[in-house]
Amino acid sequence: MLLNKSYSLVLVAALSCVTFSHVVSAQANDSAQANNSVQANDSAQAINNAQALTHKMNNTAANSQHKIDKSADRTLSMQAEIERLQEEVDNLAVYRDHLAKLVNNQNQELDSLDEQLQGIQTTRQGIVPLMYKMLAGLDDIINTGKPIKKEQRLARLAKLNTMMGQANVSDAEKYRRILEAYQIEIDYGTKLGVYQSEIVLASSNNTIIVDLLHLGRIAFVARSLDSQNYWQWHDQRQEWVSISEQTNDIDKAFKMANKQIAPSLISLPVTTAQRVGNAQ
């Protein structure tokens, strides 16, 4: 009887232990589930916070990169502007040096002009007497040499003498015209020319129209319009002298002067202040 009671107590205790064990196990499971749920919520919150922080950091990084890019672009633009300004400064320096050279050269020219202006009065004082001497030389050449187109040459000389007293003609222009007259006189001494004019015959003192031909200042002959009579200027006697020799050569010279035949060797009578002879 006592043994049965003992078994009953043991069984009851065992059942009690099993029941308590199940209760404790259930509570432990509930507590673990609760802890797991809390941990899961905390993890999710941490992940969300991390993602938000990452997004914020990305936005901040993007803004920073944009600022860096704008700053880099501004720096490049400023660098390009600095280089442009430096090139402009260099160009201005070169232009400044160029202007300095021009100014220096102009100053030298001004100094030279000042010296020339100071010498103008002296030059004019020397050139005016020279021009009058040149006119006197022209007069001597015209009146003592062969009377080749003498009327034209005397008229030219008269104009030059009149010009010397005109205040509206510069000294340079006067000098140029005198030199031009001398050039014309030089041409008379180097060319074969022919023209028609009047001459006064010494033998009869008659004035007749003839064809005149000159070979430089060496030979000066006349031929009647009908080609029957010939004359030669005599330098010593200063008159026209009739000639009968070399008439064929004279006719040939007239043809050459009038371009009727080709140039060739000709022989003409020559008279100078010292002698009478032939020119070939």
Side-chain angles (χ1 to χ4, degrees), residues 44-107:
Q45 184 65 33
I47 290 171
N48 291 334
N49 291 336
Q51 290 177 346
L53 181 60
T54 300
H55 181 70
K56 183 177 181 181
M57 290 178 64
N58 290 335
N59 290 336
T60 303
N63 292 332
S64 298
Q65 185 63 44
H66 181 66
K67 291 180 180 179
I68 291 172
D69 292 340
K70 289 181 64 177
S71 178
D73 292 340
R74 192 180 301 111
T75 300
L76 292 175
S77 178
M78 292 178 65
Q79 182 65 31
E81 181 68 14
I82 291 172
E83 291 177 356
R84 186 187 67 80
L85 292 175
Q86 184 61 47
E87 183 179 359
E88 185 175 348
V89 169
D90 294 339
N91 292 335
L92 289 174
V94 173
Y95 186 62
R96 178 201 60 197
D97 295 339
H98 174 67
L99 290 179
K101 292 179 180 179
L102 291 179
V103 171
N104 185 45
N105 182 260
Q106 289 176 350
N107 290 333

Side-chain angles (χ1 to χ4, degrees), residues 6 15 32-33 55 57 75 88 109 112 123 189 195 205 229 250:
S6 296
L15 290 173
Q33 290 178 356
H55 181 70
M57 290 178 64
T75 300
E88 185 175 348
E109 291 183 357
S112 176
T123 303
Y195 65 100
N205 203 28
N229 298 295
I250 293 174

Side-chain angles (χ1 to χ4, degrees), residues 246-266:
Q246 298 178 290
T247 56
N248 291 332
D249 290 328
I250 293 174
D251 289 336
K252 181 180 179 180
F254 270 102
K255 291 180 180 179
M256 288 176 58
N258 290 319
K259 301 184 185 304
Q260 295 175 350
I261 61 174
S264 62
L265 182 65
I266 57 175

